[in-house]
Amino acid sequence: MGQDYATLRVPASTSNLGSGFDTFGLALSLYNYFTAEPSDRWSFEIEGEGENLPKDQENLFAKVYIRACQVFGVKASPLKVKMINHIPTARGLGSSATAIVSALKFWELFQEKELSVEEKLRIAFEFEPHPDNLLPALLGGFLVCAVDEEVHYQKLDFPEDIRIVVCIPDFELSTKKAREVLRKEVSLKDAIYNLQRASLLVSSLCKRNYHLLKEAVKDKLHQPYRKELIPGFNDVLESAYSSGALAVFLSGAGPTVASFCLDGEDRVGSAMVSTFEKHGISASYMSLSVDKEGATFTKPPA
Ligand code: HSE
């Protein structure tokens, strides 16, 4: 399959960037690939990560596609979908956002109808209300998102010289579980703390004042609670900083830890891995750059 059918490449994302809880998202150069063709029933062939995901219409891709058909009043003809997944599932790297975005992009392709970003997000939100993963997967780049009835967003330039080292522990953590540990209410003091640092993060990146990034990613809204679910989190952060990282934070809902680096990516990655290992958790790292394109139709990977 796939010779005559389009393949869609959708990037991973890291979200929050510490202080920008539910606000910042950054697309990464790690991808899932989707190929789809019309069929008489829903079926999925999954290679790589997420091989245990449902292979029928219970798959998230199928659910989103069918919902889009309902919303726009068209017949939900089934597809045969092939996925080649490089993004580990349930690690805070936006893998489910790639399935949601790809279902909507294939819906547009097969229905020959372009949806606006807002129309796509309205459907996507029924499945995952996190624009900080969905928008980077769709558009690429560094996204600042604000949600009420609508989603307001800006795509900003991200410094080309910063690489993102992600250290991926060998266990899954569902976003649901990682949100259940959060507090429903926060103090004014903590809200101000994050507001100050999230603003500082955007201005430091825009002005390339990298020495401020370590302070700018500090957070009091989610990491202090989520770190209880991630053995060794504080030590992993410290090991990345002592190896030269500019900024270190939990990637999305975790358990992946991400570091911004100007150099020494292998040193930082190895330090994070060995610190996780000291806490009995096996892990691996990848050094990535920012994806600027978002979901893009392309050829299948070689
Ligand atoms: N901002 C969301 C969270 C991302 O941290 O829960 C979930 O993918």
Short mmCIF file of all heavy atoms in Angstrom, two decimals, residues 138-178:
data_model
loop_
_atom_site.label_atom_id
_atom_site.label_comp_id
_atom_site.label_asym_id
_atom_site.label_seq_id
_atom_site.Cartn_x
_atom_site.Cartn_y
_atom_site.Cartn_z
N LEU A 138 -0.13 20.19 13.84
CA LEU A 138 -0.77 20.66 12.61
C LEU A 138 0.10 21.66 11.85
O LEU A 138 0.25 21.57 10.63
CB LEU A 138 -2.11 21.31 12.99
CG LEU A 138 -3.03 21.77 11.88
CD1 LEU A 138 -3.46 20.60 11.00
CD2 LEU A 138 -4.27 22.46 12.48
N LEU A 139 0.66 22.61 12.57
CA LEU A 139 1.30 23.76 11.91
C LEU A 139 2.82 23.78 12.00
O LEU A 139 3.48 24.52 11.27
CB LEU A 139 0.77 25.07 12.54
CG LEU A 139 -0.75 25.26 12.52
CD1 LEU A 139 -1.12 26.53 13.28
CD2 LEU A 139 -1.26 25.34 11.08
N GLY A 140 3.39 23.02 12.94
CA GLY A 140 4.83 23.07 13.17
C GLY A 140 5.21 24.34 13.93
O GLY A 140 4.38 25.23 14.15
N GLY A 141 6.46 24.40 14.38
CA GLY A 141 6.99 25.61 15.01
C GLY A 141 6.66 25.74 16.48
O GLY A 141 6.26 24.79 17.15
N PHE A 142 6.84 26.96 16.97
CA PHE A 142 6.61 27.29 18.38
C PHE A 142 5.27 28.03 18.47
O PHE A 142 5.09 29.08 17.87
CB PHE A 142 7.76 28.18 18.87
CG PHE A 142 7.62 28.69 20.29
CD1 PHE A 142 7.05 27.90 21.29
CD2 PHE A 142 8.06 29.96 20.63
CE1 PHE A 142 6.92 28.37 22.59
CE2 PHE A 142 7.95 30.44 21.92
CZ PHE A 142 7.37 29.65 22.90
N LEU A 143 4.34 27.45 19.23
CA LEU A 143 2.99 27.99 19.30
C LEU A 143 2.67 28.52 20.69
O LEU A 143 3.00 27.86 21.68
CB LEU A 143 1.97 26.89 18.98
CG LEU A 143 1.57 26.62 17.53
CD1 LEU A 143 0.99 27.86 16.86
CD2 LEU A 143 2.73 26.09 16.74
N VAL A 144 2.05 29.68 20.72
CA VAL A 144 1.49 30.21 21.97
C VAL A 144 -0.02 30.16 21.80
O VAL A 144 -0.56 30.68 20.81
CB VAL A 144 1.95 31.67 22.20
CG1 VAL A 144 1.36 32.21 23.49
CG2 VAL A 144 3.47 31.76 22.23
N CYS A 145 -0.71 29.49 22.74
CA CYS A 145 -2.16 29.25 22.57
C CYS A 145 -2.94 29.82 23.75
O CYS A 145 -2.50 29.71 24.89
CB CYS A 145 -2.47 27.76 22.53
SG CYS A 145 -1.30 26.75 21.65
N ALA A 146 -4.11 30.37 23.47
CA ALA A 146 -5.03 30.82 24.52
C ALA A 146 -6.42 30.35 24.13
O ALA A 146 -6.86 30.55 23.00
CB ALA A 146 -4.99 32.34 24.62
N VAL A 147 -7.10 29.71 25.07
CA VAL A 147 -8.39 29.07 24.75
C VAL A 147 -9.51 29.67 25.58
O VAL A 147 -9.37 29.83 26.80
CB VAL A 147 -8.34 27.56 25.07
CG1 VAL A 147 -9.60 26.86 24.61
CG2 VAL A 147 -7.12 26.91 24.46
N ASP A 148 -10.63 30.04 24.94
CA ASP A 148 -11.91 30.18 25.66
C ASP A 148 -12.95 29.54 24.75
O ASP A 148 -12.84 28.35 24.49
CB ASP A 148 -12.20 31.63 26.09
CG ASP A 148 -12.06 32.61 24.93
OD1 ASP A 148 -12.17 32.20 23.78
OD2 ASP A 148 -11.85 33.80 25.21
N GLU A 149 -13.93 30.29 24.28
CA GLU A 149 -14.85 29.70 23.30
C GLU A 149 -14.08 29.33 22.03
O GLU A 149 -14.39 28.37 21.36
CB GLU A 149 -15.96 30.70 22.95
CG GLU A 149 -16.87 31.05 24.11
CD GLU A 149 -17.59 29.83 24.65
OE1 GLU A 149 -18.37 29.25 23.90
OE2 GLU A 149 -17.35 29.47 25.82
N GLU A 150 -13.13 30.19 21.71
CA GLU A 150 -12.30 29.97 20.52
C GLU A 150 -10.86 29.69 20.97
O GLU A 150 -10.53 29.90 22.12
CB GLU A 150 -12.23 31.24 19.68
CG GLU A 150 -13.48 31.64 19.00
CD GLU A 150 -13.31 33.02 18.38
OE1 GLU A 150 -12.30 33.24 17.68
OE2 GLU A 150 -14.17 33.87 18.64
N VAL A 151 -10.03 29.28 19.99
CA VAL A 151 -8.61 29.16 20.29
C VAL A 151 -7.89 30.31 19.60
O VAL A 151 -8.05 30.52 18.39
CB VAL A 151 -8.04 27.82 19.77
CG1 VAL A 151 -6.56 27.73 20.08
CG2 VAL A 151 -8.79 26.67 20.40
N HIS A 152 -7.14 31.08 20.36
CA HIS A 152 -6.34 32.16 19.81
C HIS A 152 -4.90 31.67 19.84
O HIS A 152 -4.47 31.11 20.85
CB HIS A 152 -6.47 33.42 20.66
CG HIS A 152 -7.90 33.77 20.96
ND1 HIS A 152 -8.66 34.58 20.15
CD2 HIS A 152 -8.72 33.37 21.96
CE1 HIS A 152 -9.88 34.68 20.65
NE2 HIS A 152 -9.94 33.94 21.75
N TYR A 153 -4.17 31.87 18.76
CA TYR A 153 -2.80 31.37 18.78
C TYR A 153 -1.87 32.20 17.91
O TYR A 153 -2.34 32.92 17.01
CB TYR A 153 -2.76 29.89 18.31
CG TYR A 153 -3.23 29.70 16.89
CD1 TYR A 153 -2.31 29.74 15.83
CD2 TYR A 153 -4.57 29.52 16.60
CE1 TYR A 153 -2.74 29.59 14.53
CE2 TYR A 153 -5.00 29.36 15.30
CZ TYR A 153 -4.08 29.40 14.27
OH TYR A 153 -4.51 29.27 12.98
N GLN A 154 -0.58 32.09 18.20
CA GLN A 154 0.45 32.74 17.39
C GLN A 154 1.55 31.72 17.18
O GLN A 154 1.94 31.02 18.14
CB GLN A 154 1.07 33.92 18.14
CG GLN A 154 0.17 35.10 18.31
CD GLN A 154 0.36 36.11 17.20
OE1 GLN A 154 1.35 36.81 17.19
NE2 GLN A 154 -0.57 36.18 16.29
N LYS A 155 2.05 31.67 15.95
CA LYS A 155 3.22 30.82 15.69
C LYS A 155 4.43 31.74 15.66
O LYS A 155 4.45 32.72 14.92
CB LYS A 155 3.03 30.11 14.35
CG LYS A 155 4.17 29.20 13.97
CD LYS A 155 3.82 28.38 12.72
CE LYS A 155 5.07 27.77 12.12
NZ LYS A 155 4.79 26.87 11.01
N LEU A 156 5.40 31.45 16.51
CA LEU A 156 6.58 32.32 16.62
C LEU A 156 7.82 31.60 16.09
O LEU A 156 7.87 30.37 16.07
CB LEU A 156 6.85 32.67 18.09
CG LEU A 156 5.74 33.41 18.84
CD1 LEU A 156 6.15 33.63 20.29
CD2 LEU A 156 5.45 34.75 18.18
N ASP A 157 8.82 32.39 15.71
CA ASP A 157 10.11 31.80 15.32
C ASP A 157 10.76 31.22 16.57
O ASP A 157 10.70 31.82 17.63
CB ASP A 157 11.05 32.87 14.76
CG ASP A 157 10.62 33.29 13.37
OD1 ASP A 157 9.91 32.49 12.73
OD2 ASP A 157 10.96 34.41 12.97
N PHE A 158 11.38 30.08 16.40
CA PHE A 158 12.13 29.49 17.52
C PHE A 158 13.60 29.51 17.12
O PHE A 158 13.93 29.18 15.97
CB PHE A 158 11.65 28.05 17.78
CG PHE A 158 12.19 27.47 19.05
CD1 PHE A 158 11.58 27.73 20.26
CD2 PHE A 158 13.35 26.70 19.04
CE1 PHE A 158 12.08 27.22 21.45
CE2 PHE A 158 13.86 26.18 20.21
CZ PHE A 158 13.23 26.45 21.42
N PRO A 159 14.49 29.90 18.04
CA PRO A 159 15.91 30.02 17.65
C PRO A 159 16.46 28.74 17.03
O PRO A 159 16.30 27.66 17.59
CB PRO A 159 16.60 30.31 18.99
CG PRO A 159 15.55 30.82 19.90
CD PRO A 159 14.26 30.22 19.46
N GLU A 160 17.08 28.88 15.86
CA GLU A 160 17.59 27.73 15.11
C GLU A 160 18.74 27.03 15.84
O GLU A 160 19.00 25.86 15.61
CB GLU A 160 18.14 28.20 13.75
CG GLU A 160 17.15 28.94 12.90
CD GLU A 160 16.57 28.07 11.81
OE1 GLU A 160 17.18 27.04 11.52
OE2 GLU A 160 15.50 28.43 11.28
N ASP A 161 19.45 27.79 16.69
CA ASP A 161 20.64 27.19 17.32
C ASP A 161 20.32 26.36 18.56
O ASP A 161 21.20 25.73 19.11
CB ASP A 161 21.69 28.27 17.65
CG ASP A 161 21.10 29.46 18.39
OD1 ASP A 161 19.86 29.53 18.52
OD2 ASP A 161 21.88 30.31 18.84
N ILE A 162 19.08 26.37 18.99
CA ILE A 162 18.72 25.55 20.16
C ILE A 162 18.27 24.17 19.71
O ILE A 162 17.38 24.05 18.86
CB ILE A 162 17.62 26.22 21.01
CG1 ILE A 162 18.14 27.53 21.59
CG2 ILE A 162 17.13 25.28 22.12
CD1 ILE A 162 17.17 28.22 22.53
N ARG A 163 18.89 23.13 20.29
CA ARG A 163 18.41 21.77 20.05
C ARG A 163 17.64 21.30 21.27
O ARG A 163 17.83 21.82 22.37
CB ARG A 163 19.57 20.83 19.73
CG ARG A 163 20.16 21.13 18.36
CD ARG A 163 21.04 20.04 17.85
NE ARG A 163 20.38 18.76 17.63
CZ ARG A 163 19.74 18.42 16.50
NH1 ARG A 163 19.62 19.29 15.50
NH2 ARG A 163 19.22 17.22 16.38
N ILE A 164 16.78 20.35 21.05
CA ILE A 164 15.95 19.86 22.15
C ILE A 164 16.33 18.39 22.38
O ILE A 164 16.18 17.55 21.50
CB ILE A 164 14.44 19.98 21.81
CG1 ILE A 164 14.10 21.44 21.50
CG2 ILE A 164 13.58 19.50 22.98
CD1 ILE A 164 14.13 21.79 20.06
N VAL A 165 16.87 18.14 23.57
CA VAL A 165 17.24 16.76 23.93
C VAL A 165 16.12 16.20 24.78
O VAL A 165 15.81 16.74 25.85
CB VAL A 165 18.57 16.73 24.70
CG1 VAL A 165 18.91 15.30 25.10
CG2 VAL A 165 19.70 17.32 23.85
N VAL A 166 15.47 15.15 24.27
CA VAL A 166 14.39 14.56 25.05
C VAL A 166 14.88 13.25 25.64
O VAL A 166 15.45 12.41 24.95
CB VAL A 166 13.10 14.33 24.21
CG1 VAL A 166 12.47 15.67 23.85
CG2 VAL A 166 13.35 13.51 22.96
N CYS A 167 14.67 13.10 26.94
CA CYS A 167 15.06 11.85 27.62
C CYS A 167 13.75 11.12 27.96
O CYS A 167 12.91 11.63 28.71
CB CYS A 167 15.86 12.16 28.87
SG CYS A 167 16.34 10.66 29.72
N ILE A 168 13.59 9.95 27.33
CA ILE A 168 12.30 9.24 27.37
C ILE A 168 12.41 8.03 28.28
O ILE A 168 13.06 7.04 27.94
CB ILE A 168 11.91 8.78 25.94
CG1 ILE A 168 11.98 9.97 24.97
CG2 ILE A 168 10.53 8.15 25.94
CD1 ILE A 168 11.96 9.57 23.51
N PRO A 169 11.82 8.09 29.47
CA PRO A 169 11.87 6.92 30.34
C PRO A 169 11.02 5.78 29.78
O PRO A 169 10.08 6.03 29.02
CB PRO A 169 11.28 7.42 31.67
CG PRO A 169 10.94 8.84 31.49
CD PRO A 169 11.05 9.20 30.05
N ASP A 170 11.40 4.60 30.21
CA ASP A 170 10.78 3.40 29.66
C ASP A 170 9.47 3.04 30.37
O ASP A 170 9.29 1.89 30.74
CB ASP A 170 11.79 2.26 29.83
CG ASP A 170 11.74 1.33 28.65
OD1 ASP A 170 10.89 1.55 27.78
OD2 ASP A 170 12.55 0.37 28.64
N PHE A 171 8.62 4.01 30.61
CA PHE A 171 7.29 3.68 31.13
C PHE A 171 6.30 4.73 30.63
O PHE A 171 6.68 5.86 30.30
CB PHE A 171 7.28 3.61 32.67
CG PHE A 171 7.48 4.92 33.38
CD1 PHE A 171 6.39 5.70 33.78
CD2 PHE A 171 8.75 5.40 33.66
CE1 PHE A 171 6.58 6.90 34.44
CE2 PHE A 171 8.95 6.60 34.33
CZ PHE A 171 7.86 7.36 34.71
N GLU A 172 5.05 4.31 30.54
CA GLU A 172 4.02 5.21 30.03
C GLU A 172 3.35 5.96 31.18
O GLU A 172 3.28 5.45 32.31
CB GLU A 172 2.97 4.41 29.26
CG GLU A 172 3.55 3.74 28.02
CD GLU A 172 2.48 3.23 27.07
OE1 GLU A 172 1.32 3.04 27.52
OE2 GLU A 172 2.81 3.02 25.89
N LEU A 173 2.87 7.15 30.89
CA LEU A 173 2.10 7.91 31.87
C LEU A 173 0.96 8.58 31.10
O LEU A 173 1.22 9.38 30.19
CB LEU A 173 3.00 8.98 32.53
CG LEU A 173 2.33 9.96 33.49
CD1 LEU A 173 1.62 9.24 34.64
CD2 LEU A 173 3.37 10.92 34.06
N SER A 174 -0.28 8.21 31.41
CA SER A 174 -1.37 8.80 30.64
C SER A 174 -1.58 10.25 31.06
O SER A 174 -1.36 10.61 32.23
CB SER A 174 -2.66 8.00 30.85
OG SER A 174 -3.16 8.25 32.15
N THR A 175 -1.99 11.07 30.11
CA THR A 175 -2.27 12.48 30.41
C THR A 175 -3.37 12.56 31.47
O THR A 175 -3.33 13.42 32.35
CB THR A 175 -2.70 13.22 29.12
OG1 THR A 175 -1.64 13.12 28.18
CG2 THR A 175 -2.99 14.68 29.38
N LYS A 176 -4.33 11.63 31.39
CA LYS A 176 -5.43 11.63 32.36
C LYS A 176 -4.87 11.52 33.77
O LYS A 176 -5.18 12.32 34.65
CB LYS A 176 -6.37 10.46 32.04
CG LYS A 176 -7.60 10.39 32.87
CD LYS A 176 -8.56 9.34 32.29
CE LYS A 176 -9.81 9.20 33.15
NZ LYS A 176 -9.56 8.54 34.42
N LYS A 177 -3.99 10.54 33.96
CA LYS A 177 -3.42 10.33 35.29
C LYS A 177 -2.57 11.55 35.70
O LYS A 177 -2.63 12.00 36.85
CB LYS A 177 -2.55 9.07 35.25
CG LYS A 177 -2.14 8.60 36.61
CD LYS A 177 -1.49 7.23 36.57
CE LYS A 177 -0.89 6.91 37.93
NZ LYS A 177 0.10 5.85 37.89
N ALA A 178 -1.82 12.10 34.74
CA ALA A 178 -0.94 13.24 35.06
C ALA A 178 -1.74 14.52 35.31
O ALA A 178 -1.21 15.48 35.87
CB ALA A 178 0.06 13.45 33.93
#
